Amino acid sequence: MEINNILLILLFAAIGLTIYAQIKVRSTFRKYSKIRGSFGLTGSQVARYILDKNGLYNVRIEHVHGELSDHYDPRAKVVRLSDSVYGSTSLAAVAVAAHEVGHAIQDANDYSFLRFRHALVPLVNFTSRFTWILILAGLFFNMTGMLDLGIIFFSLAVLFQVITLPVEFNASKRALSELRTYELVADNEIVGSKKVLSAAALTYVAAMIYSVIELLHLIAMRNNN
């Protein structure tokens, strides 16, 4: 079987994994959204408590609309929590809030992978505008130089996906540690919290695998062009 065919099969498998990861994270979040944390703390309260315990009084917490739109903004020093997290006392909300605070702690501790990812953001945002234009034009007009530049641009996006993995896994590790240390969840709720964070992490793993296979596929197409 030719390498292109193998990579094409792997690409479809990666798409399947990506779809599964999205379904998994939503179903896991819904499941644990129905389970109230033993101490009745909302996502915003948990976030504020952990931030203060780490001396991050300057980091604000904001309520944003949307589903699973939670994130930490390192430029504004803001933890933004979604509708289903900010005011919810569910185990899922507590876990997600702690995870986003984990990013704030990374920022405060100058975590190297986070710094590297932030440095890549403007470059990836710029190159992503032209990546597929260059790739498609290079393939259609048989212009190797244009295709090569498109592949280089796409490689930056792949690098961003790869760097995202340790950032996200480390934030989840910090989150679980903070929840245990300050007893913000009961001992029997740690497993549930971990499942919520593991399901979310799977989406990043799937995205990275898809990106790597797509890059290899593009390189194979370039060599056969």
Side-chain angles (χ1 to χ4, degrees), residues 148-168:
D148 287 346
L149 184 58
I151 290 174
I152 290 171
F153 281 5
F154 188 77
S155 298
L156 291 173
V158 174
L159 177 61
F160 183 84
Q161 295 281 4
V162 172
I163 293 300
T164 293
L165 284 185
V167 173
E168 295 300 327

Side-chain angles (χ1 to χ4, degrees), residues 67-80:
E67 184 181 10
L68 298 177
S69 54
D70 312 88
H71 64 280
Y72 170 66
D73 185 342
R75 293 167 299 179
K77 307 299 181 188
V78 175
V79 171
R80 297 192 174 100

